Amino acid sequence: MYVCLRLLKDGFFKGCRPIFGVDGCHLKGAYPGQILVAVSKDGNNNIYLIAWATCEVVNRETWVWFLESLMHSLGSADWSCFTFMSDKHKGLVEALAQVVPNAETRFCVRHIWLEYEILMQQIKELDEEAYDYLNNIPTQHWCRHAFSDNCRSNMLLNNMCETFNAVIRDARDKLILTQMEWMKRYMMRRNNEKWEDSKEITSNLTPYVHKLFQRMSYVSKNCIVQAAKDDTYEVQLKDDQVLVDLGNGTCSSNHWQLTGIPCVHAFACIMDQ
């Protein structure tokens, strides 16, 4: 059984970043199976559930079914602008390659991270197979410097799925229809709380973004800003110096984008000026 409520879909397109966390968790009690979820982040950096499904087993076929159902619900023909974050659940990587081959994919870094340069050689000496496994994971899936800026998120972990799986613990041992009704009511309650909270926002910035800019503003006080022309600025922070183009959202360094931490600091510094 697959569920994607129309209002959740509309809310995703109107106020969420184009990134999906996809994951599955076990059902408990007398009715074994799995709940598959697709979640995103809203403008206040809160978890936003888009779709969920209950299935008997998790494998490539069920993930293909879930992703195809999600694609059909969202009605998007161009998936290259979306990013999928996962922890490489069984069959999921293959399903993503089959259903959304043009989408950007990320792997939760917690599942593959090591103190890379220091330990890789030690791993190779201990277990060549483990070394090859880690060495063959392309950095664009798990390392910030290699991410594209499509989804404008530097997220490295699939915590939003893990958190949501913990939230729905009370639903995971119920009968299927009772479970689905619980999920629907939970989403109604959560989205109503967000709606009421949004009425108290008096600026163009959400509370999360406001706090983020406050922290960045403190760091950006050490930046030296020199206006160049129109929306371009030369920004120096300690030994780093870049040219920031606010109009195009770029920095002169190949490793800096306005979604990355250094350039966001530079952006905050320019705004303070």
Side-chain angles (χ1 to χ4, degrees), residues 22-246:
V22 284
D23 197 15
C25 64
H26 289 282
L27 298 176
K28 301 178 180 179
Y31 305 95
Q34 294 255 351
I35 292 181
L36 311 182
V37 297
V39 299
S40 186
K41 287 289 190 75
D42 63 19
N44 199 36
N45 211 44
N46 294 144
I47 294 172
Y48 186 92
L49 178 65
I50 303 166
W52 65 92
T54 299
C55 60
E56 293 181 352
V57 296
V58 170
N59 51 33
R60 177 173 178 169
E61 288 71 25
T62 53
W63 276 120
V64 167
W65 164 73
F66 180 72
L67 292 171
E68 287 180 343
S69 300
L70 178 65
M71 184 169 60
H72 176 74
S73 297
L74 299 181
S76 177
D78 181 16
W79 285 80
S80 62
C81 62
F82 292 114
T83 297
F84 288 82
M85 165 72 78
S86 77
D87 59 4
K88 303 183 72 174
H89 210 277
K90 183 179 179 180
L92 178 54
V93 175
E94 294 81 4
L96 287 169
Q98 177 179 335
V99 180
V100 286
N102 296 324
E104 181 181 354
T105 55
R106 295 184 187 178
F107 303 144
C108 181
V109 72
R110 178 174 291 159
H111 291 76
I112 58 175
W113 180 82
L114 295 170
E115 294 182 8
Y116 197 78
E117 297 294 339
I118 298 176
L119 296 179
M120 281 295 284
Q121 187 58 40
Q122 297 178 19
I123 291 174
K124 186 175 183 180
E125 294 173 359
L126 292 172
D127 190 331
E128 185 114 6
E129 185 177 348
Y131 172 83
D132 291 339
Y133 165 77
L134 292 171
N135 201 44
N136 288 331
I137 301 176
T139 54
Q140 67 262 28
H141 295 307
W142 61 278
C143 197
R144 281 178 176 160
H145 86 274
F147 289 165
S148 75
D149 61 354
N150 285 344
C151 72
R152 301 190 179 277
S153 172
N154 59 8
M155 187 170 63
L156 288 169
L157 304 176
N158 203 19
N159 284 350
M160 55 185 180
C161 284
E162 303 292 345
T163 301
F164 187 77
N165 290 341
V167 166
I168 63 174
R169 186 185 301 111
D170 292 341
R172 287 159 60 180
D173 61 352
K174 294 179 171 27
L175 297 170
I176 299 301
L177 294 180
T178 306
Q179 171 203 118
M180 288 294 175
E181 186 69 17
W182 189 100
M183 298 275 284
K184 183 197 73 172
R185 289 179 176 175
Y186 168 78
M187 291 312 304
M188 290 171 62
R189 182 174 67 254
R190 179 172 175 81
N191 285 339
N192 182 65
E193 291 171 354
K194 289 186 178 185
W195 174 251
E196 295 299 325
D197 289 342
S198 70
K199 294 178 181 178
E200 300 179 6
I201 299 177
T202 57
S203 72
N204 291 332
L205 300 179
T206 62
Y208 170 80
V209 174
H210 181 71
K211 291 179 181 178
L212 188 64
F213 275 165
Q214 282 185 321
R215 293 199 299 268
M216 290 187 299
S217 180
Y218 176 79
V219 176
S220 68
K221 292 178 181 178
N222 296 318
C223 291
I224 300 174
V225 178
Q226 175 61 55
K229 180 181 179 182
D230 296 332
D231 287 334
T232 58
Y233 299 83
E234 184 180 84
V235 181
Q236 181 178 353
L237 177 61
K238 297 182 179 180
D239 294 331
D240 290 323
Q241 182 172 298
V242 295
L243 185 67
V244 178
D245 187 333
L246 295 183

